[in-house]
Every structure is written in C-alpha cells, then in structure tokens.
C-alpha cells in the first residue's frame, strides 16, 4: 500500500489519532517530570492543548488540507497550557503556515510543513534549550525533508519521522544533563513522539487502544442545558458561573488511599455548586457541575486518578452573548486605567491577591495551568486600558506571553514564577506611573524576594546530589531542591536555615490546605526562638500540593 497524497479528511484522521494516542499516554508522560514533586503536568498540558485543537478539527467537514491545519492551529493556540502546550501550539502553527492554500499535499510538501513548524517554534522561544521537545521536533523535521527528496510514499515518510523522533528522544539525556542525572527522557519530546505515532497509525489504518473517555454515559446532560433558563435571569443572578465538565481515569494507587464511593463523591461536590451529575463505571467517573471555583472540583477528582477531557465554560459570558442583559451594558462602561491579572490556586491566596489589588485572579497554578484562552478571557474581564499579567508560575509564562500578543488591550507580562514574587511585584505597583515604568519596577521587585516551598516526593530519585525517597518531604528554594527528610518540620527547619540570612527582615508564611493551625503555631515559636530579628507574617493560603510557601525578604 502506498499513499502519494493526503487531503484534509486524511489529515483530520491523523490529528484525531494523534490526540487520542496522547490522551491514552498522558499519565506516563506526566511521570517523566524531572522533579519528583506531585505536579508533573507535561502530559496533562499537552493533552488539553491538543484536545482543544482536535475539537476545532471535529467541527470541520472540509477536504482541504489548509483549512484542517488552520483549524487545528487555531484550537491549539487558544487551548495551549503550560510551556509544553505553547511550544506544541507553535510547532503546528508553523506546520499550518506550511500548508496554506493547499487542498492536498505530497511527501515533499508535508515534510516542508514539518520543517516550517520547527522554525516557528524555535522563534517563539526566547532561549531555546536542546534536549527538549524542540530538539525532537527539529530532528524529525530534518529527517522528513531528507527522506521526502527521494520518497513519494507518505506512509514511509511518516515511519521515518517517527523513527527519528524516537531516536532523538533517546538522545535527550545526552543534551540535557539533568535528564541523565534523574534517568528520564524529555517529557515534551515524549509527548510529541506519541502524537507522531498516532499520525502514523491513522495513515496505516491501524486502531489505537480504545480510550475509555469515549464510553457513552446516557445519564450525562447536554452541556448546553443551562441556556434554557437564561432568558429569565440577569447575569448577576448566576450564582455558580462556570459550567464544568471533566472525567477522572481511575488509578489503583490513588484508589488505595482514597477508595471511590460515587454517592460520597457526589455529596462532596454538591457543596461546591449545582446542576450536578456524577456517573461512574469501573474505569472512570464523569462529572458535570456548575461551580464558582472549578479548580476545587478538579482537585477533589484528582484524589482518585488522572483528569481527562476537561471543559470549563464561563456561563456569565455565554449569557451575555445570548440575551444581552445588564452584563452587556457593563461592558460598555468606560474602561479603568489599570488592571492586574494574576494566577493562584487556593481561596486564601485568591483573597490575599485580591486584597492587594488584583482585578482578576485566575484559578490555576500547579497541576492546572490556565490556557492562553483563559488568560485572554481574564484580560477582557479586567476591562482596562492597561493590563499587567503576573503568572506566578514558570510554566504559565509562555501562555501569558501568547495571550498578551493576541490582546487588543495594552498588556505587559511581569514574569513572576512564584506566589511570593507575585505578591512582591504587586506591592511595587503605582497607579500613577505609566505601564512601562510599572512593569520595570514590578520586575525588579520580584527579583528581590526568595521563595521556599515544602512538598512531598512522589518517587525515589537523586538530583543535585540529594537522594530523595518516595513519600519524604522536600524543601525547595527558588526552584532547587535543597533539603529532604521523612519529617515535615525537620524539612522546614533545614530549608529555612538555608534561606534566611542575617540581612533578611521579613518571613511570610503561606499555610497550605493540609496544615493545621497548631502546627503553624509550633513553627512560629521555633522561628521566633531561632531567628530573633526576623518579622513573621502568616496567611492561610489554603493552597494544594505545597504545605508551606515561604517568602523571605
């Protein structure tokens, strides 16, 4: 069997197969996270990103390669989450450009599209790092062009692309020392290979393993049902603003710790919203809920396994679009001069950032990076002439930059990588200064703060000369693991000993959702006795994953 050309229909099959394969392997890709912290999310982010692109493709009936590729690129762009998702969106943005005005393509045209994707992705990254998804894309793209010069069969071309991507992935530890030290290959590169393997399976007519997310659950209501009553209410009357759907693919190790009980799970979720439906079988549970804080519901679901097929829609925006109402009039009000958009996970952190002047706090952070579309929506919601974005997470920076580029407003990104950096930056904001001056001042301020985090290890590993055991606590200072112990308080002491110097004056403690007040009081007593000149501030951040976040200034 040879295939000398593909049309839009075949390309769509390739894309859907690639998305399907990535969905099935997202958990394995998450597990390749270099740090053994419980926030490995490359597979999740890439899966959510490509699912957004695949959904746009599903809407088409076109046989045009260019139209299918353009729809895919658009969906990826707006759905991109995390740095890996943004880079993936850029790869296929360039891929789409390489297929412009083409109804069908040959091997050489397809190969040049892959090459175009590599160029676009490299140009989008300020400091490209080899040994990552970029390298795998580049090596596979170069191979594609080389093979296409003498090969007319697209199936053979894709087989060579997959083979080279696989070989390139194996070489990533030789290019990025931290991968070799930890003993893993690059997670983003693994994700791209998984997509390419899906492409090849579609070309060869092979069936991939069945995705349990395709299971038909008749009890699940249509996501559009909330439109029925919208003519009879004002936007302000919507108590729970986000129509939230997600599935949880059960994982045995998590179920051992949190046995799943459908009725109990339903009762727990009911405290966070209405219009709730929970349907489960032996492999997964599917949830529909109208919630004000979707992240809380997602976190509850994660106790039982991996999140898949997530969809969150802002019903207030939908209501305005459908029937107008007072919300529409509000949008016509004069824009404020300034707004700050920031990201946090946990009600306490949200309240704290809002008290410091944040106009919009996007629910997200570790394990749930907001997409480009989420940030773009927040910029519009802020309704200001000048908008400053504080991502508060290094894995959200690229999505923030992408949203800023797409925005009609005057938007600047202050590259905060932690919550303490975000808080410090916000305290340096001056409403009377111009946006460039504010961006510079806030950027300088975020560099002056030291960030510490306490979390736990999800596997045994050795990194930066430290041997870490699964389940032990870890102390992380500005992104580097510097302490570990089986006892949480001992880990805290080791971390603070490394962080606090004689010149430091203020220690801010952000208390996580798993920490009792009594434990915090014991910690405060220890700090007061050990660091007599340090001033202590405590806030209940209620953040997941990290028992403590420390800010030292």
């Amino acid at each position: 069997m040879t295939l000398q050309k593909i049309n839009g229909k075949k390309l769509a099959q390739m894309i859907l197969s690639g998305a399907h394969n990535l969905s099935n392997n997202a958990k394995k890709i998450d597990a390749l996270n270099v740090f053994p912290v419980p926030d490995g999310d490359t597979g999740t982010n890439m899966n959510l990103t490509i699912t957004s692109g695949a959904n746009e493709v599903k809407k088409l009936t076109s046989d045009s390669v260019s139209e299918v590729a353009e729809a895919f690129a658009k969906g990826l762009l707006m759905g991109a989450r995390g740095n890996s998702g943004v880079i993936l969106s850029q790869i296929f943005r360039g891929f789409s450009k390489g297929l412009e005005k083409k109804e069908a393509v040959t091997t050489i045209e397809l190969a040049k599209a892959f090459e175009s994707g590599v160029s676009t992705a490299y140009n989008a990254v300020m400091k490209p790092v080899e040994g990552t998804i970029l390298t795998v894309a580049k090596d596979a793209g170069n191979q594609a062009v080389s093979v296409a010069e003498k090969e007319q069969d697209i199936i053979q071309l894709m087989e060579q692309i997959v083979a080279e991507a696989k070989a390139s992935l194996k070489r990533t530890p030789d290019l990025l020392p931290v991968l070799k030290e930890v003993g893993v290959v690059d997670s983003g590169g693994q994700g791209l290979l998984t997509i390419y393997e899906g492409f090849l399976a579609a070309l060869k007519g092979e069936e991939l393993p069945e995705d349990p997310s395709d299971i038909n659950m008749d009890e699940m209501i249509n996501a559009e049902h909330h439109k029925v009553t919208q003519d009879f209410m004002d936007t302000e009357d919507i108590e729970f603003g986000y129509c939230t759907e997600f599935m949880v693919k059960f994982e045995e190790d998590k179920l051992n710790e949190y046995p799943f009980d459908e009725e109990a799970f339903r009762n727990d979720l009911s405290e966070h919203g209405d219009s709730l439906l929970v349907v489960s079988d032996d492999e997964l549970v599917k949830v529909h809920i109208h919630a004000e804080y979707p992240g809380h519901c997602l976190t509850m679901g994660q106790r039982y396994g991996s999140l898949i097929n997530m969809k969150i829609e802002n019903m207030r925006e939908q209501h305005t679009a459908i029937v107008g109402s007072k919300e529409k009039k509000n949008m016509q009000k004069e824009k404020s001069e300034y707004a700050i958009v920031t990201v946090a996970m946990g009600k306490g952190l949200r309240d704290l950032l809002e008290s410091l002047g944040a106009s919009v706090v996007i629910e997200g952070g570790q394990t749930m990076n907001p997409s480009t579309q989420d940030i773009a929506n927040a910029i519009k919601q802020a309704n200001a002439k000048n908008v400053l974005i504080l991502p508060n997470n290094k894995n959200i920076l690229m999505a923030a930059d992408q949203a800023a580029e797409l925005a009609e407003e005057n938007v600047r990104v202050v590259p905060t990588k932690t919550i303490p950096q975000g808080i410090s930056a916000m305290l340096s904001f001056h409403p009377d200064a111009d946006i460039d001056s504010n961006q510079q001042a806030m950027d300088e301020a975020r560099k002056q703060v030291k960030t510490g985090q306490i979390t736990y290890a999800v596997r045994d590993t050795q990194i930066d000369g430290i041997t870490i055991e699964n389940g032990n606590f870890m102390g992380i200072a500005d992104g580097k693991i510097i302490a570990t112990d089986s006892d949480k308080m001992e880990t805290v002491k080791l971390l603070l000993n490394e962080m606090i110097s004689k010149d430091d004056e203020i220690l801010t403690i952000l208390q996580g959702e798993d920490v009792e007040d009594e434990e915090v009081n014991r910690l405060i007593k220890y700090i007061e006795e050990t660091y007599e000149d340090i001033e202590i501030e405590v806030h209940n951040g209620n953040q997941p994953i990290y028992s403590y976040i420390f800010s030292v200034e």
Side-chain angles (χ1 to χ4, degrees):
M1 173 185 173
T2 60
L3 187 64
Q4 296 189 356
K5 276 193 174 185
I6 60 168
N7 60 11
K9 184 178 180 181
K10 179 58 71 175
L11 179 60
Q13 291 172 356
M14 293 167 63
I15 289 168
L16 297 181
S17 178
H20 180 95
N21 201 35
L22 184 62
S23 174
N24 287 346
N25 290 278
K27 181 187 173 187
K28 295 177 183 177
I29 297 167
D30 280 342
L32 293 173
N33 190 26
V34 170
F35 275 10
V37 295
D39 64 354
D41 51 11
T42 299
T44 299
N45 282 337
M46 293 183 76
N47 182 31
L48 291 171
T49 301
I50 198 170
T51 297
S52 178
N55 286 340
E56 290 298 316
V57 171
K58 288 178 182 177
K59 297 175 185 177
L60 285 182
T61 56
S62 174
D63 283 340
S64 165
V65 161
S66 62
E67 290 182 11
V68 171
E70 183 180 359
F72 185 46
K74 176 187 174 184
L76 288 170
L77 181 71
M78 300 312 295
R81 295 175 188 267
N83 294 341
S84 57
V86 173
I87 293 173
L88 185 68
S89 75
Q90 292 297 322
I91 288 172
F92 285 104
R93 183 183 181 187
F95 179 82
S96 173
K97 288 180 180 178
L99 297 177
E100 282 181 350
K101 300 179 181 179
K102 289 181 169 58
E103 292 296 314
V105 291
T106 61
T107 54
I108 191 66
E109 291 168 325
L110 186 62
K112 287 182 178 178
F114 279 112
E115 187 179 44
S116 174
V118 173
S119 298
T120 300
Y122 267 87
N123 289 336
V125 179
M126 188 169 296
K127 294 180 180 178
V129 177
E130 298 301 335
T132 64
I133 182 175
L134 289 170
T135 304
V136 175
K138 178 182 66 177
D139 291 347
N142 290 340
Q143 178 73 356
V145 173
S146 175
V147 171
E149 291 175 353
K150 52 184 178 295
E151 178 60 67
Q152 294 184 342
D153 183 4
I154 289 179
I155 296 176
Q156 290 295 321
L157 173 70
M158 200 68 225
E159 284 186 338
Q160 291 298 312
I161 290 173
V162 168
E164 182 54 35
K166 195 174 294 184
S168 179
L169 180 66
K170 289 182 179 179
R171 295 192 294 266
T172 55
D174 296 325
L175 298 173
L176 204 55
V178 68
L179 296 176
K180 179 168 284 189
E181 181 181 8
V182 177
V184 296
V185 294
D186 179 67
S187 54
Q190 179 68 68
L192 185 62
L193 169 62
T194 303
I195 293 168
Y196 287 171
E197 288 175 333
F199 284 6
L200 178 59
L203 287 171
K204 297 171 75 172
E206 296 176 350
E207 291 292 328
L208 290 165
E210 185 62 30
D211 182 355
S213 68
D214 290 335
I215 293 172
N216 181 24
M217 297 183 176
D218 294 332
E219 298 92 332
M220 196 63 194
I221 62 174
N222 190 306
E224 300 297 313
H225 78 93
H226 51 73
K227 293 181 180 177
V228 174
T229 59
Q230 291 194 350
D231 285 332
F232 308 100
M233 57 164 44
D234 286 334
T235 303
E236 303 92 299
D237 296 332
I238 299 176
E239 183 180 2
F240 302 104
Y242 296 89
C243 179
T244 305
E245 289 185 62
F246 63 94
M247 296 183 187
V248 179
K249 191 182 294 186
F250 292 139
E251 296 173 10
E252 187 175 352
D253 55 341
K254 290 188 176 182
L255 292 177
N256 288 336
E257 185 175 358
Y258 296 102
F260 180 76
D261 181 289
E262 182 176 305
E263 185 176 351
F265 184 47
R266 185 182 292 108
N267 290 337
D268 290 343
L269 284 171
S270 67
E271 298 179 8
H272 295 271
D274 60 16
S275 298
L276 173 66
L277 277 179
V278 177
V279 184
S280 67
D281 60 19
D282 292 335
E283 295 183 318
L284 59 80
V285 59
K286 188 170 186 177
V287 175
H288 173 283
I289 185 172
H290 292 175
E292 189 60 23
Y293 299 104
H296 293 171
C297 303
L298 296 173
T299 299
M300 292 169 67
Q302 257 186 313
R303 290 181 301 184
Y304 307 109
S306 298
L307 295 173
I308 58 174
N309 287 31
M310 288 171 273
K311 183 170 72 172
I312 300 174
E313 296 178 339
N314 187 324
M315 294 190 295
R316 295 187 181 98
E317 288 191 353
Q318 289 179 340
H319 180 274
T320 299
I322 297 167
V323 297
S325 83
K326 296 176 183 178
E327 183 91 346
K328 189 171 184 178
K329 295 178 182 178
N330 289 339
M331 292 302 291
Q332 296 172 349
K333 288 182 179 179
E334 185 178 349
K335 289 186 175 183
S336 60
E337 192 65 29
Y338 268 115
I340 295 176
V341 172
T342 188
V343 184
M345 184 73 86
K347 186 179 184 301
L349 293 182
R350 171 187 285 272
D351 292 344
L352 175 59
L353 292 168
E354 287 178 343
S355 72
L356 293 174
S359 309
V360 181
V361 181
I362 304 170
E363 183 83 12
Q366 297 303 122
T367 76
M368 190 59 191
N369 298 149
S371 68
T372 300
Q373 183 71 68
D374 294 332
I375 301 171
N377 290 343
I379 293 170
K380 290 182 179 179
Q381 182 184 342
N383 197 35
K385 298 174 185 175
N386 302 286
V387 180
L388 290 154
I389 305 177
L390 310 180
N392 299 340
N393 186 301
K394 66 180 182 180
N395 209 31
I396 302 175
L397 288 175
M398 291 185 72
D401 287 336
Q402 198 156 263
E405 290 176 11
L406 296 170
E408 296 177 0
E409 295 81 1
N410 190 20
V411 182
R412 299 286 190 279
V413 177
V414 181
T416 52
K417 297 180 180 179
T418 65
I419 291 293
Q421 286 187 7
I423 293 171
S424 182
M426 290 187 70
L427 292 172
S428 299
F429 171 74
H430 294 287
D432 295 330
D434 62 65
I435 192 168
D436 291 325
S437 298
N438 265 314
Q439 181 187 27
Q440 183 176 354
M442 295 168 80
D443 190 40
E444 285 300 317
R446 64 107 186 165
K447 295 176 182 176
Q448 304 307 313
V449 65
K450 292 183 281 188
T451 299
Q453 299 162 310
I454 296 293
T455 186
Y456 60 92
V458 294
R459 68 170 187 271
D460 294 339
T461 192
Q462 185 165 341
I463 186 170
D464 293 330
I466 297 178
T467 300
I468 302 167
E469 295 183 13
N470 184 20
N472 278 7
F473 292 94
M474 297 181 296
I476 304 171
D478 289 320
K480 184 176 181 179
I481 301 172
I482 62 172
T484 183
D485 196 270
S486 59
D487 181 75
K488 185 198 298 180
M489 197 57 65
E490 182 61 29
T491 308
V492 169
K493 293 176 182 178
L494 292 169
L495 175 64
L496 293 180
N497 184 56
E498 291 292 326
M499 289 185 65
I500 299 175
S501 68
K502 58 182 176 60
D503 297 325
D504 293 319
E505 300 175 349
I506 302 174
L507 170 65
T508 303
I509 302 172
L510 301 176
Q511 177 182 345
E513 64 179 4
D514 63 330
V515 177
E516 301 292 335
D517 291 342
E518 186 273 332
E519 180 180 304
V520 176
N521 291 334
R522 283 191 286 115
L523 174 58
I524 292 172
K525 182 179 179 182
Y526 165 78
I527 294 169
E528 289 175 338
E529 292 173 350
T530 309
Y531 308 97
E532 296 179 359
D533 298 328
I534 202 93
E535 180 182 336
I536 305 170
E537 291 184 12
V538 180
H539 300 278
N540 188 357
N542 201 38
Q543 70 274 3
I545 299 178
Y546 295 99
S547 300
Y548 293 102
I549 299 176
F550 299 110
S551 171
V552 179
E553 298 176 82

